[in-house]
Amino acid sequence: AASTREGSKTAKVLDLLKRPNGATAKELMKATGWQPHSVRGFLSGTVGKKMGLAVSSIKCEGGERSYSVKG
């Protein structure tokens, strides 16, 4: 797995994703300052492909999506 700098945006995103309920796109956008498409691209490209982590997404009540990684 790629190493992440302490306090980097990647580290922040991973911390949020590892919470029991994961994180919504809104929370990830707030933490990083990125646009929705950047958050999604980061999740699939960096977290999914480069780090080899399985990102799961579930639709919560109210239609908001929540993303998480196991482990």
Side-chain angles (χ1 to χ4, degrees), residues 3-12 15:
S3 62
T4 56
R5 250 179 25 253
E6 194 66 36
S8 68
K9 287 184 178 179
T10 301
K12 268 188 203 161
D15 284 346

Side-chain angles (χ1 to χ4, degrees), residues 2-66:
S3 62
T4 56
R5 250 179 25 253
E6 194 66 36
S8 68
K9 287 184 178 179
T10 301
K12 268 188 203 161
V13 169
L14 287 176
D15 284 346
L16 290 169
L17 293 175
K18 286 178 181 170
R19 296 185 312 188
N21 296 326
T24 63
K26 263 191 202 134
E27 290 172 314
L28 296 172
M29 284 160 48
K30 203 166 117 184
T32 56
W34 298 337
Q35 296 297 312
H37 62 270
S38 303
V39 169
R40 286 193 300 271
F42 179 82
L43 291 175
S44 67
T46 303
V47 179
K49 293 193 177 83
K50 284 193 188 146
M51 300 178 130
L53 296 170
V55 179
S56 57
S57 91
I58 46 172
K59 210 164 207 166
C60 308
E61 291 170 40
E64 191 155 27
R65 212 163 256 294
S66 180

